[in-house]
Amino acid sequence: QNLEVTFIVERQRRAHHFEMRSITALFFLFCFLAPSALAQLRFGFYGRSCPRAESIVANVVANRFRRDRTITAALLRMQFHDCFVRGCDASLLIDPRPGRPSEKSTGPNASVRGYEIIDEAKRLLEAACPRTVSCSDIVTLATRDSVALAGGPRFSVPTGRRDGLRSSPNDVNLPGPTIPVAASIQLFAAQGMNANDMVTLIGGGHSVGVVHCSLIQDRLADPAMDRSLNARLRNTCRAPNDPSVFLDQRTPFIVDNAIYGEIRRQRGVMRIDQNMGLDRSTRGIVSSFAQNNALFRKRFAEAMVKMGTIKVLTGRSGEIRRNCRVFNNGR
C-alpha cells in the first residue's frame, strides 16, 4: 500500500512539473505569435485596471460547473465559433434584432449555448470595474477556467482583447461535421493554424459534449464503424425529437485524450473525428495523442492560447461593450 501511495504521489508530482513546463512553453509560444496580437495582449492585462477580473470570471464558471458539467463543451464551442469568424471579438454574442440578423442567428450557431454565463460575469465585472473588461476576454477566460474544471490542463491566457463592431451571418463559414480533412486543414490554415492545431482543437473540443443524431447519420451508415457502438447509437437515435449522444463514449465529461483512442478503434462518433484518424496527414497526430495524455494536454493548452489570438482587436480598435449582447451605440 505504501508503494502504491508513493507511486501516486510521484505521478502527481511529475504531472505538476510537466504542466509548469507547459505554462513556461506557452509564454515563449506567445512571444512568437503575430505582432498585432503581441502588441497589446499580455498576461495579467487587468492587473491594475481590474485586479479581480480573472477571479470574478472563475467564480462564475465554478458556480455554474457545480450544477452543470456540460458547460465546458458549451464554452469551448462558443469560443471556437467566435474566433473562427472575424477573429476573437465576441461578435457571436450580439443578439439579432428585427431587420438586423447577427452571427448568432445562423444555422451553425443556433445550438451554441452558455451566453448567460458570459452575461453574469459581465454584470459583476461592470459593477466592479465599469467599461474595463471586454466580452471577448470574458469568453476566453471562462473557457479556460471550464477546461481546468473538467480535468483538462490549467494554463494562463493573455488578455487585452476588445470587442468587435460587426456581427453578420454572411461572415459565418464554420466546418460542418462531415467536412473532409483537407478542407478542414485549409480552413484552419486561413486562421494561422496548422494540422496539429486542428487535430488538437477538434479532438479536444469533442472530448466533452454531445451531438444530435441527425448530424451523424452518415456515420451510422458506415460499415467500418465499430459494431457494438453502432448498435448502441442506433438504439438511442430511434427515439423521437432528434436525441443526442456523447461524442466521447469513454470519458464524456473530462477533457482528455480518450477520444483519440476511440477514433483509432473506428469508434469516432462524428465523421470529421473518424476522418482525422484515417487521413494520412493527421492519423499520426491522432495516434500520438491516443498514446500520450500528457502530450495532448500540453498541445491542447498551446492550441487554445493560439486560437485565442486570432485577429484580435486591441488598443483603440473596437470597443469595450457594456452589455455583451448589444453594441454600445445600440445598433
Side-chain angles (χ1 to χ4, degrees):
Q1 186 176 8
N2 289 337
L3 286 174
E4 183 179 357
V5 171
T6 302
F7 172 76
I8 293 172
V9 170
E10 176 62 16
R11 184 173 62 184
Q12 291 175 338
R13 185 193 68 79
R14 290 182 179 180
H16 177 75
H17 177 66
F18 189 89
E19 289 206 352
M20 289 302 99
R21 289 176 60 191
S22 296
I23 290 172
T24 302
L26 286 175
F27 173 79
F28 286 107
L29 167 74
F30 182 65
C31 291
F32 290 96
L33 292 172
S36 59
L38 185 60
Q40 297 293 335
L41 291 187
R42 66 176 186 271
F43 296 100
F45 180 87
Y46 298 109
R48 291 186 177 181
S49 60
C50 192
R52 295 178 52 234
E54 295 201 21
S55 63
I56 288 173
V57 175
N59 287 336
V60 169
V61 174
N63 288 337
R64 178 61 181 271
F65 186 84
R66 293 188 192 100
R67 306 190 307 270
D68 180 9
R69 295 169 66 191
T70 70
I71 67 162
T72 303
L75 291 171
L76 278 167
R77 189 158 183 251
M78 181 188 295
Q79 187 180 12
F80 179 83
H81 280 224
D82 181 51
C83 290
F84 268 63
V85 178
R86 296 183 60 80
C88 308
D89 64 351
S91 53
L92 174 61
L93 275 53
I94 295 296
D95 282 340
R97 301 175 62 186
R100 193 178 291 273
S102 68
E103 292 176 26
K104 189 182 287 187
S105 58
T106 62
N109 291 327
S111 58
V112 175
R113 60 187 181 86
Y115 298 112
E116 70 284 355
I117 300 171
I118 309 304
D119 292 338
E120 183 180 354
K122 182 61 175 175
R123 178 179 60 80
L124 295 173
L125 286 165
E126 283 297 301
C129 318
R131 303 189 70 170
T132 302
V133 182
S134 69
C135 300
S136 48
D137 272 344
I138 296 173
V139 172
T140 301
L141 291 169
T143 305
R144 184 272 310 267
D145 294 337
S146 73
V147 166
L149 289 169
R154 297 180 180 273
F155 54 95
S156 298
V157 292
T159 45
R161 297 164 190 79
R162 289 172 66 86
D163 301 322
L165 300 172
R166 172 186 169 93
S167 182
S168 170
N170 297 328
D171 296 330
V172 178
N173 179 27
L174 294 163
T178 61
I179 186 173
V181 169
S184 187
I185 289 175
Q186 290 180 350
L187 192 64
F188 272 73
Q191 306 294 347
M193 309 195 83
N194 57 37
N196 201 303
D197 298 322
M198 182 198 78
V199 175
T200 306
L201 290 173
I202 291 180
H206 291 174
S207 68
V208 288
V210 299
V211 61
H212 285 285
C213 289
S214 58
L215 297 177
I216 60 167
Q217 291 304 308
D218 62 310
R219 260 310 263 160
L220 294 179
D222 187 350
M225 188 183 202
D226 176 84
R227 289 185 179 181
S228 63
L229 175 61
N230 188 287
R232 187 162 69 249
L233 295 181
R234 282 179 177 275
N235 184 58
T236 300
C237 291
R238 288 193 186 99
N241 302 319
D242 195 13
S244 59
V245 297
F246 289 118
L247 286 164
D248 180 351
Q249 294 285 305
R250 287 184 57 197
T251 57
F253 295 106
I254 303 174
V255 177
D256 63 6
N257 68 331
I259 192 170
Y260 297 100
E262 294 290 272
I263 291 171
R264 290 180 71 195
R265 297 165 55 203
Q266 278 287 348
R267 293 173 61 87
V269 173
M270 196 175 286
R271 171 62 62 185
I272 180 57
D273 294 343
Q274 192 57 58
N275 282 350
M276 292 191 304
L278 298 173
D279 194 282
R280 64 181 182 180
S281 64
T282 52
R283 65 191 178 199
I285 305 170
V286 169
S287 181
S288 65
F289 286 161
Q291 298 173 50
N292 191 333
N293 191 44
L295 174 63
F296 161 70
R297 291 169 66 88
K298 176 178 181 293
R299 284 292 299 121
F300 188 68
E302 291 172 351
M304 287 295 293
V305 172
K306 188 175 180 181
M307 181 178 72
T309 66
I310 294 175
K311 300 175 185 174
V312 293
L313 301 173
T314 59
R316 296 180 180 276
S317 300
E319 65 182 9
I320 304 296
R321 283 186 216 141
R322 295 185 292 273
N323 177 343
C324 291
R325 295 173 179 262
V326 183
F327 298 118
N328 284 343
N329 62 10
R331 64 180 176 85

